[in-house]
Amino acid sequence: MNIILLGPPGAGKGTQAKLLEDTRGMKQLSTGDMLRAEISGQTPLGIKVKAIMDSGALVSDEIVIEMISNRIEQADCAQGFILDGFPRTVPQAEALDKMLAAKGKKLGAVIQLVVDENALLARIEKRASESTTVRADDNADALRKRLAVYNEQTAPIIPYYEGKKMLKKVDGMAAVNIVSEQIDKILG
Ligand code: ADP
């Protein structure tokens, strides 16, 4: 099955995606991870997007749409993929629908991790303190920007998928294993 995990920065999308990789053999496709790999590889794309990402703003729809379109065709996505961090704007959601239709693929579910915004800063600070490679955008200013961008540009995709009767909400404030049980139930 192909799914989308949706939620603000720090909601736990990456954690749940990793669990689904282990239990179901699905492939996590994180546009943030892909872009960070371009930056550390100092590719032309990485050089182009670095300042934008570090500030907490979004890179252009075109860039991520093309990345995902190529990626989902690869063999490791055959058991299903988990979109983590994509789509992040309504135009990206529309482009995803078109590309899936063109490739004869389908979305099985869109799962929203519902979290209390006040908890997010603490979660991201914890992530930054536990990680050896601190993300350039895991600081208070960039995080504030990322949350604002989420509310302005990404939250509108929630009604988009509600309208298609695809949206499932999960309590993202629960413990990791409880969240993953809820997701398991949805996926069946
Ligand atoms: P988080 O989930 O913690 O917000 P991500 O790792 O998903 O962070 O993304 C980090 C940054 O990568 C974003 O702030 C943005 O600059 C860029 N990015 C990732 N995915 C997208 C996307 N779908 N569209 C535009 N920019 C993106």
Side-chain angles (χ1 to χ4, degrees), residues 7-10 13 30-33 35-36 52-53 56-61 64 84-89 92 124 127 135 137-138 146:
K13 303 182 297 287
S30 157
T31 41
D33 286 351
L35 290 166
R36 280 185 288 277
I52 300 169
M53 275 184 76
L58 296 184
V59 310
S60 75
D61 288 338
V64 287
D84 164 6
F86 180 93
R88 235 181 178 90
T89 63
Q92 289 178 24
I124 287 178
R127 173 166 85 194
R135 278 172 50 173
D137 61 350
D138 272 353
R146 280 152 65 203

Side-chain angles (χ1 to χ4, degrees), residues 149-178:
V149 166
Y150 177 82
N151 287 323
E152 280 160 25
Q153 301 194 56
T154 306
I157 73 178
I158 293 169
Y160 178 86
Y161 288 114
E162 264 168 349
K164 293 177 178 286
K165 308 257 178 268
M166 296 192 70
L167 194 80
K168 309 277 184 205
K169 290 181 197 272
V170 158
D171 174 15
M173 297 307 294
V176 170
N177 64 313
I178 306 290

Side-chain angles (χ1 to χ4, degrees), residues 33-47 49 67:
D33 286 351
M34 291 178 200
L35 290 166
R36 280 185 288 277
E38 298 283 342
I39 291 174
S40 51
Q42 296 185 303
T43 67
L45 175 61
I47 290 162
V49 299
M67 276 191 337

Side-chain angles (χ1 to χ4, degrees), residues 60-81:
S60 75
D61 288 338
E62 266 175 4
I63 290 175
V64 287
I65 289 165
E66 194 186 332
M67 276 191 337
I68 287 292
S69 175
N70 293 330
R71 191 63 188 82
I72 61 178
E73 300 207 3
Q74 290 168 28
D76 57 356
C77 292
Q79 298 296 321
F81 51 81

